[in-house]
Amino acid sequence: MSDEAIEAILPGPVALARRMGGVGSWMIRDPLRLGDDSDVISMAGGFPAPESLPAAEIGAAGARVLGSARATAALQYSAAQGLPELREWIATRATAQRGQPVHPDQVIVTAGALQALDVVSKALIDPGDVVAIDDPAFPASLHCLRMYQSEVLAVDVDDEGMDVDALAERLAGGHRPKLVYTVATFHNPTGATLTAARRMRLADLAERYGFAVVEDDPYSALRFRGEPVPPVSAYSDRVLTLGSFSKTLGPGLRIGWVIAPPALAEAITRAKRWSDLHTSTFVQFTLLELLGQPGWWEAHLARLPGLYRERCAALRSAVATHLAGVLEVNDPAGGLFVWGRVVAAGIGADDLLDAAVRRGVSFVSGPQFAVHRPDPATLRLSFAGHPPDRLDLAVRRLAAAAASLVA
Ligand SMILES: Cc1ncc(COP(=O)(O)O)c(C=O)c1O
């Protein structure tokens, strides 16, 4: 049979679901992949510092689990909601953070904070529901919310986090979001932290207009300056908290959680169960083994601020030295990123990225985080992945890239 004849009897291509329409693959130029190339110093991804990941301790804990009477249980199916002891551990820490009791039944263990957002969205979002989100935003969260065919309402972020006054204006103007998604502490990408006053205002608006706040919080344990701000959940019961061990123990573990209001926990567990049955039993057992050692978690967390404070300061000082008049960066109190603005006339962050990659350094340009309003002068630099001398080299390469554009 000829090719034409075969084509004539084949069915047409399988159409994608409508929900795929507004959803990109990752960031436009996939800069995360650049981290694999050893010649390129990547300041692109949200990878925690390699030195901060307790590989040997996780390995030893996993071996103890498999060498014990728990081995079979650790390799079996387990409860969709997560192991009760791990949910209790998470609830105890959340209770201390909020200053309000959190019951382990409110906790659902997930494969990271992003799956937490996915199962929350699956349980709560119908096509056409309005979801308000920080602009700029973490692209994976934006894509996840769009995957459920929500109408996205962008709310600007400034130095103090989401502009809650702007949100209030939208609400007064008739917009009715079902969810308001925000990274209130060390926002990705800007590093901004929502002030306590704005958190209270957001909580008030949630009560008044009946929306739920989704507070995505993978970074609050990475504070290296100043005092913690109470979470939005300290001020309202209408908050779903997304948490994660990705930035403290390693994203490859894929362990995070949702803390939901009691009335929603069962539905979110159902959404989780019919996605993947449950999160890895073995990894949950391994973490419990580690976290069950008295003082281990506190000692581990205590090592992180020094590491990130030093790296953030090194990056900022290299920018001040080598890129004065070209790039200005902010001064976050924690997290993994600084947010920058190209101030040299005529240079956009995308052009700078092209030139930078040719000189062996990468970052993510600001427009890749835009929800509605790309700002071509902005960019995000991660200081997490490299010691001070490498960060200095990265910034010198960036300066050479900027100089080539000016020339
Ligand atoms: C704001 C935000 N939410 C969620 C995630 C994903 O976290 P996880 O690895 O726990 O899924 C990230 C990772 O960079 C993030 O920045």
Side-chain angles (χ1 to χ4, degrees):
M1 233 191 285
S2 70
D3 285 355
E4 290 77 21
I6 291 173
E7 255 171 40
I9 58 169
L10 282 176
V14 177
L16 291 180
R18 270 193 286 277
R19 75 173 72 87
M20 298 302 291
V23 177
S25 57
W26 179 248
M27 296 172 188
I28 301 156
R29 275 183 259 180
D30 220 357
L32 285 172
R33 284 214 209 110
L34 295 170
D36 298 339
D37 179 344
S38 56
D39 290 339
V40 176
I41 305 176
S42 174
M43 295 188 284
F47 293 71
E51 301 83 350
S52 74
L53 308 182
E57 287 153 294
I58 292 173
R64 283 200 298 280
V65 168
L66 292 181
S68 73
R70 290 162 294 166
T72 311
L75 296 177
Q76 282 293 6
Y77 290 115
S78 57
Q81 198 169 353
L83 297 183
E85 298 85 349
L86 187 56
R87 292 192 286 108
E88 198 174 316
W89 188 93
I90 293 164
T92 303
R93 261 102 205 136
T95 298
Q97 253 192 328
R98 291 182 186 190
Q100 314 243 10
V102 173
H103 194 277
D105 287 351
Q106 292 175 251
V107 179
I108 300 110
V109 178
T110 59
L114 187 61
Q115 194 200 35
L117 180 62
D118 186 66
V119 293
V120 164
S121 303
K122 189 175 273 185
L124 300 181
I125 298 176
D126 278 322
D129 280 347
V130 176
V131 178
I133 183 170
D134 306 312
D135 190 5
F138 176 50
S141 297
L142 178 63
H143 290 319
C144 177
L145 293 166
R146 286 199 167 135
M147 187 79 96
Y148 289 94
Q149 297 172 274
S150 59
E151 287 289 326
V152 168
L153 182 68
V155 184
D156 285 350
V157 170
D158 61 23
D159 296 348
E160 301 190 333
M162 180 182 268
D163 182 346
V164 178
D165 284 341
L167 174 66
E169 273 171 34
R170 306 284 184 78
L171 294 164
H175 290 278
R176 287 292 173 269
K178 185 165 189 184
L179 302 177
V180 174
Y181 167 90
T182 186
V183 181
T185 307
F186 314 137
H187 174 253
N188 183 3
T190 67
T193 291
L194 196 68
T195 58
R198 285 193 183 182
R199 289 173 193 231
M200 280 183 240
R201 180 102 200 274
L202 180 59
D204 280 350
L205 293 171
E207 305 289 336
R208 186 155 149 214
Y209 290 96
F211 58 80
V213 176
V214 179
E215 184 176 17
D216 188 2
D217 185 29
Y219 296 111
S220 64
L222 305 187
R223 174 175 288 282
F224 49 75
R225 198 182 61 230
E227 290 302 312
V229 187
V232 183
S233 55
Y235 304 111
S236 168
D237 296 335
R238 306 186 66 87
V239 178
L240 296 106
T241 305
L242 315 182
S244 181
F245 287 116
S246 283
K247 310 299 178 179
T248 50
L249 297 179
L253 295 167
R254 305 311 301 136
I255 302 274
W257 58 87
V258 189
I259 304 173
L264 296 179
E266 194 278 328
I268 294 168
T269 304
R270 244 187 297 150
K272 160 79 181 166
R273 178 181 293 122
W274 306 136
S275 276
D276 67 351
L277 297 182
H278 59 78
T279 297
S280 162
T281 321
F282 171 61
V283 180
Q284 292 186 68
F285 265 94
T286 300
L287 287 195
L288 268 178
E289 170 72 18
L290 205 54
L291 301 171
Q293 297 173 45
W296 184 86
W297 174 246
E298 290 72 17
H300 174 69
L301 280 192
R303 284 193 286 271
L304 305 183
L307 183 70
Y308 288 126
R309 188 185 305 116
E310 182 188 41
R311 290 183 178 193
C312 181
L315 176 59
R316 284 175 36 76
S317 134
V319 168
T321 307
H322 307 301
L323 281 166
V326 177
L327 179 68
E328 288 173 358
V329 292
N330 69 353
D331 189 11
L336 306 177
F337 312 111
V338 295
W339 184 240
R341 170 168 291 281
V342 183
V343 291
I347 302 182
D350 280 315
D351 299 332
L352 183 59
L353 178 60
D354 285 337
V357 170
R358 286 198 293 277
R359 279 164 183 78
V361 60
S362 72
F363 58 87
V364 187
S365 71
Q368 303 199 43
F369 299 99
V371 180
H372 281 164
R373 279 200 300 153
D375 181 343
T378 54
L379 54 84
R380 187 193 78 177
L381 302 175
S382 169
F383 49 78
H386 309 283
D389 58 334
R390 286 287 283 176
L391 289 169
D392 190 72
L393 175 60
V395 173
R396 278 187 278 127
R397 289 181 182 178
L398 205 51
S404 75
L405 293 175
V406 173

